[in-house]
Amino acid sequence: MRYIHLNPLRAKLVKSLSKLERYRWSGHGVIMGKVKYDWQDRDYVLRWFGQKEGAAQKGYRSYVEKGIA
């Protein structure tokens, strides 16, 4: 998931992780709550990172951030 969600950043379609959160062609924004697609199950992903939404988003973002390098 991290590999796929970081593709637009690696391809330089967006310039930062914060811009990736609003990029409509990546599922990362859905997980972070900035973009909404009914077909993407964001709760399933967030459950891997915590029980409360805020903590889960923080854990997920940290996980994705570590994959940038």
Side-chain angles (χ1 to χ4, degrees), residues 32-50:
M32 294 305 296
K34 308 289 184 185
V35 178
K36 182 173 167 91
Y37 292 128
D38 293 332
W39 52 266
Q40 188 171 347
D41 190 354
R42 75 186 285 268
D43 293 334
Y44 173 80
V45 173
L46 287 175
R47 278 184 289 221
W48 288 92
F49 297 95

Side-chain angles (χ1 to χ4, degrees), residues 20-32:
L20 182 63
E21 290 177 6
R22 298 192 184 282
Y23 185 65
R24 67 184 282 196
W25 304 110
S26 171
H28 177 72
V30 175
I31 306 301
M32 294 305 296

Side-chain angles (χ1 to χ4, degrees), residues 5-9 14-24 26 28-29 35 64:
H5 286 182
L6 283 173
N7 279 341
L9 184 63
V14 295
K15 295 182 181 187
S16 67
L17 192 56
S18 61
K19 296 228 185 249
L20 182 63
E21 290 177 6
R22 298 192 184 282
Y23 185 65
R24 67 184 282 196
S26 171
H28 177 72
V35 178
V64 170

